[in-house]
């Protein structure tokens, strides 16, 4: 298992290499969320132990928010093969999407919606998103992908 900080550094570096620009903070948080979900889809094992919170524009890891300015210019930590494959797949699936599209995607997730119960759409919240709620989303996506595969799509 890697840390969210290691994953964030890898994503930021990969993004810079792929798109010749720095990643935005909003996009980084969304890609971290989708990477965590992707790991749960593949193996039902967390990619990193840090917990997301259900903020106004989607899932956020507070420690990454506080370290963001350092992350953009940091060297990449060692990433094991499994983690690298999950992060690379996440970048291929979602890296080219604009941050607001990713925000809309994350707003459709059960885990984010559940963390926002009773919270106005205009307010931030520090309600945690339990990993088991992300597992619910992972299961849904895995089933949809299998159905599409079975249909040859």
């Amino acid at each position: 298992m890697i840390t969210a900080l290691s994953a964030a550094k890898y994503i930021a570096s990969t993004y810079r290499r792929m798109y010749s620009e720095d990643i935005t903070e909003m996009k980084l948080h969304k890609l971290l969320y989708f990477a965590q979900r992707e790991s749960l889809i593949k193996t039902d094992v967390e990619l990193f132990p840090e917990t997301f919170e259900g903020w106004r524009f989607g899932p956020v890891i507070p420690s990454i928010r506080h370290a963001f300015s350092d992350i953009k210019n940091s060297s990449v930590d060692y990433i094991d093969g499994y983690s690298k494959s999950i992060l690379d797949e996440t970048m291929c699936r979602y890296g080219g999407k604009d941050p607001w599209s990713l925000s809309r995607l994350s707003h459709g997730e059960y885990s984010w919606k559940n963390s926002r119960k009773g919270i106005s759409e205009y307010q931030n919240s520090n309600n945690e998103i339990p990993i088991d709620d992300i597992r619910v989303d992972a299961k849904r996506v895995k089933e949809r992908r299998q159905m599409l595969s079975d249909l040859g799509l």
Side-chain angles (χ1 to χ4, degrees):
M1 183 181 298
I2 61 173
T3 65
L5 182 59
S6 293
K9 289 177 182 180
Y10 184 85
I11 289 170
S13 175
T14 301
Y15 188 86
R16 190 177 315 108
R17 190 175 66 253
M18 289 174 73
Y19 300 104
S20 300
E21 63 184 33
D22 286 337
I23 194 166
T24 65
E25 183 181 352
M26 183 177 178
K27 190 166 196 171
L28 178 61
H29 284 287
K30 304 310 162 260
L31 292 173
L32 285 167
Y33 171 81
F34 289 118
Q36 183 75 293
R37 189 189 70 185
E38 195 63 35
S39 184
L40 295 172
I41 289 168
K42 301 288 186 200
T43 63
D44 197 36
V45 175
E46 297 170 51
L47 183 62
F48 46 79
E50 291 83 356
T51 303
F52 289 92
E53 293 180 357
W55 286 26
R56 181 176 172 194
F57 297 115
V60 169
I61 299 174
S63 62
I64 299 301
R65 172 137 175 69
H66 299 308
F68 180 70
S69 59
D70 295 329
I71 289 169
K72 292 190 308 183
N73 300 312
S74 296
S75 58
V76 176
D77 298 333
Y78 170 77
I79 302 285
D80 63 271
Y82 169 76
S83 300
K84 184 179 179 315
S85 71
I86 293 296
L87 294 169
D88 287 343
E89 182 168 346
T90 302
M91 290 299 295
C92 287
R93 283 185 186 273
Y94 303 103
K97 296 186 182 300
D98 71 85
W100 291 105
S101 293
L102 294 174
S103 183
R104 283 188 295 278
L105 284 173
S106 69
H107 279 58
E109 299 281 293
Y110 165 81
S111 59
W112 181 81
K113 288 178 183 177
N114 202 31
S115 75
R116 299 289 300 173
K117 284 183 180 173
I119 308 293
S120 161
E121 67 179 290
Y122 304 106
Q123 291 179 308
N124 263 335
S125 165
N126 62 353
N127 290 346
E128 288 189 0
I129 298 176
I131 194 68
D132 286 338
D133 284 2
I134 301 173
R135 278 191 170 88
V136 170
D137 292 317
K139 182 178 183 221
R140 180 183 50 84
V141 171
K142 184 176 183 175
E143 288 171 352
R144 184 176 12 171
R145 287 180 187 170
Q146 184 60 54
M147 179 189 69
L148 291 171
S149 176
D150 291 348
L151 293 171
L153 302 175

